[in-house]
């Protein structure tokens, strides 16, 4: 049986799409109010790169804007995300809490490793009471390289983890598992891409399947 599972947050545990478009629209309306954006909100572009750290998001969405403007946008976007979570506009994916309870009961420790910002992750964990099961949540902000593989390595070293899996929906999660010689479990959810999932060891369509996977490993 697996000793530990390291979960991604966005698009894996949390249905980010429920607040993503809303928060992004708020943010670009803010830019429009500053006369620094004059076209449609690039939601499709964001969906394509979903899963990368936010600094890289703003480089892609605002290539012609200054670092100062990107920092302003980053702060405003975080505020909108947090407010929308606290307003109950987001949701966990089906069976998150059932799977977490099962893992905890079977002595499989749970960690979160996310490209999301620390305050954003804290808000989700607190709002949905995930700290009832999760040992610790790690943000990409804790790693200078902004490399999820390094973030997962930090978890492994801190908790002396040997037999574990990384569960996530994007290539950064799969690569993080492979870089650390862990099992890569791809989630075929909202933001997943077929060519990325093809590189996972296992692909699931529902988190509930983890109960069987964990038990058989």
């Amino acid at each position: 049986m697996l000793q530990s599972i390291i979960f991604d947050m966005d698009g894996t545990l949390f249905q980010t799409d429920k607040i993503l478009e809303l928060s992004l629209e708020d943010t670009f309306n803010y830019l429009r109010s500053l006369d620094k954006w004059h076209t449609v909100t690039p939601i499709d572009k964001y969906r394509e790169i979903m899963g990368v750290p936010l600094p890289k998001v703003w480089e892609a969405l605002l290539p012609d804007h200054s670092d100062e403007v990107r920092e302003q946008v980053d702060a405003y976007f975080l505020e909108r995300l947090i407010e929308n979570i606290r307003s109950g506009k987001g949701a966990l994916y089906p069976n998150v809490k059932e799977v977490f309870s099962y893992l905890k009961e079977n002595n499989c420790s749970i960690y979160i490793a996310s490209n999301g910002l620390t305050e954003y992750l804290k808000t989700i964990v607190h709002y949905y009471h995930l700290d009832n099961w999760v040992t610790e949540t790690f943000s990409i902000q804790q790693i200078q390289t902004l490399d999820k593989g390094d973030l997962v390595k930090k978890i492994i070293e801190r908790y002396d983890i040997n037999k574990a899996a990384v569960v996530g929906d994007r290539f950064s999660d799969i690569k993080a598992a492979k870089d650390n010689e862990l099992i890569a479990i791809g989630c075929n959810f909202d933001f997943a891409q077929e060519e990325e999932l093809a590189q996972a060891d296992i692909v699931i369509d529902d988190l509930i399947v983890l109960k069987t996977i964990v038990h058989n490993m």
Side-chain angles (χ1 to χ4, degrees):
M1 187 163 177
L2 289 176
Q3 174 193 6
S4 306
I5 295 188
I6 301 169
F7 288 89
D8 173 46
M9 178 65 89
D10 291 313
T12 299
L13 298 176
F14 184 67
Q15 295 187 56
T16 317
D17 60 319
K18 290 187 177 295
I19 64 167
L20 174 64
E21 188 167 347
L22 186 63
S23 301
L24 203 64
E25 190 65 47
D26 288 344
T27 302
F28 276 83
N29 280 337
Y30 169 68
L31 272 177
R32 291 181 188 102
S33 73
L34 299 176
D35 200 30
K36 292 180 179 177
W37 191 260
H38 305 97
T39 60
V40 297
T41 301
I43 183 67
D44 290 337
K45 178 65 175 177
Y46 192 9
R47 287 180 178 275
E48 288 174 16
I49 60 175
M50 183 70 189
V52 304
L54 275 176
K56 295 185 182 300
V57 167
W58 304 125
E59 286 175 15
L61 298 188
L62 302 171
D64 300 322
H65 290 68
S66 67
D67 288 341
E68 182 182 1
V69 170
R70 290 176 190 162
E71 288 172 8
Q72 275 184 280
V73 167
D74 193 54
Y76 188 85
F77 184 59
L78 179 61
E79 289 176 10
R80 297 313 306 149
L81 285 170
I82 288 174
E83 179 57 34
N84 285 324
I85 292 165
R86 288 175 176 164
S87 299
K89 294 174 181 174
L92 298 177
Y93 277 97
N95 303 313
V96 168
K97 293 186 176 182
E98 180 179 342
V99 168
F100 277 14
S101 294
Y102 175 84
L103 295 177
K104 194 80 169 177
E105 289 166 7
N106 286 274
N107 300 312
C108 181
S109 53
I110 302 167
Y111 305 91
I112 293 172
S114 171
N115 283 334
L117 301 179
T118 302
E119 286 305 311
Y120 167 72
L121 298 173
K122 281 182 180 178
T123 302
I124 297 173
V125 168
H126 177 73
Y127 186 84
Y128 295 101
H129 307 290
L130 298 183
D131 41 7
N132 290 335
W133 303 279
V134 176
T135 301
E136 189 172 353
T137 299
F138 292 77
S139 164
I140 202 68
Q141 282 184 300
Q142 296 169 249
I143 297 292
Q144 286 187 338
T145 62
L146 298 182
D147 185 314
K148 189 171 252 190
D150 291 339
L151 189 61
V152 167
K153 182 180 180 182
K154 180 173 182 174
I155 299 172
I156 292 169
E157 291 176 346
R158 178 173 296 184
Y159 288 96
D160 192 25
I161 294 169
N162 296 307
K163 192 175 183 182
V166 176
V167 178
D169 65 316
R170 299 306 303 264
F171 179 66
S172 61
D173 306 302
I174 296 166
K175 184 176 183 296
K178 301 289 187 180
D179 286 350
N180 290 282
E181 299 182 346
L182 304 181
I183 298 162
I185 301 176
C187 296
N188 189 21
F189 298 168
D190 296 303
F191 300 108
Q193 297 184 11
E194 187 176 350
E195 65 274 15
E196 295 182 358
L197 292 179
Q199 300 182 62
D201 298 308
I202 302 168
V203 177
I204 62 175
D205 295 314
D206 191 312
L207 290 171
I208 201 70
V209 182
L210 289 175
K211 292 171 68 173
T212 302
I213 292 172
V214 168
H215 184 73
N216 291 334
M217 285 187 171

